[in-house]
């Protein structure tokens, strides 16, 4: 049995792609370089997304001031006692 952490502490950092020039079709190192440059300029902010496992943790995430959250299949099934 995997240990389940009931608190919404897990976080994932996402890069929001809002750059005016598309980087699709470029080699991965160049895409990463452009995304990191866009974050330095403030064009593509980095979002911190805490994980939620049920309605309660989603509510707590919202009350904590985060603009977004995410759910995982294992987190939801594990929190409810079901296998993944």
């Amino acid at each position: 049995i995997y240990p389940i952490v009931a608190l919404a502490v897990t976080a994932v950092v996402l890069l929001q792609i809002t750059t005016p020039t598309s980087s699709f079709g470029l080699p991965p190192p160049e895409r990463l370089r452009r995304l990191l440059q866009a974050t330095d300029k403030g064009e593509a902010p980095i979002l911190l997304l805490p994980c939620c496992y049920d309605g309660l943790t989603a509510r707590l995430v919202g009350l904590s001031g985060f603009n977004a959250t995410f759910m995982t299949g294992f987190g939801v099934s594990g929190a409810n006692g079901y296998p993944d």
Side-chain angles (χ1 to χ4, degrees):
I1 297 175
Y2 296 100
I4 304 298
V5 178
L7 299 174
V9 177
T10 308
V12 172
V13 177
L14 293 179
L15 290 173
Q16 190 179 43
I17 302 173
T18 59
T19 55
T21 58
S22 177
S23 61
F24 293 106
L26 296 174
E30 180 61 27
R31 288 184 65 199
L32 178 60
R33 187 176 298 109
R34 287 188 182 194
L35 284 171
L36 292 174
Q37 288 172 349
T39 59
D40 288 342
K41 295 176 187 176
E43 297 172 357
I46 295 176
L47 299 177
L48 181 65
L49 298 175
C51 183
C52 66
Y53 306 107
D54 54 17
L56 175 62
T57 53
R59 181 70 138 167
L60 292 173
V61 167
L63 291 174
S64 297
F66 290 96
N67 293 326
T69 186
F70 74 98
M71 297 179 78
T72 67
F74 175 73
V76 173
S77 62
N80 291 304
Y82 296 106
D84 187 23

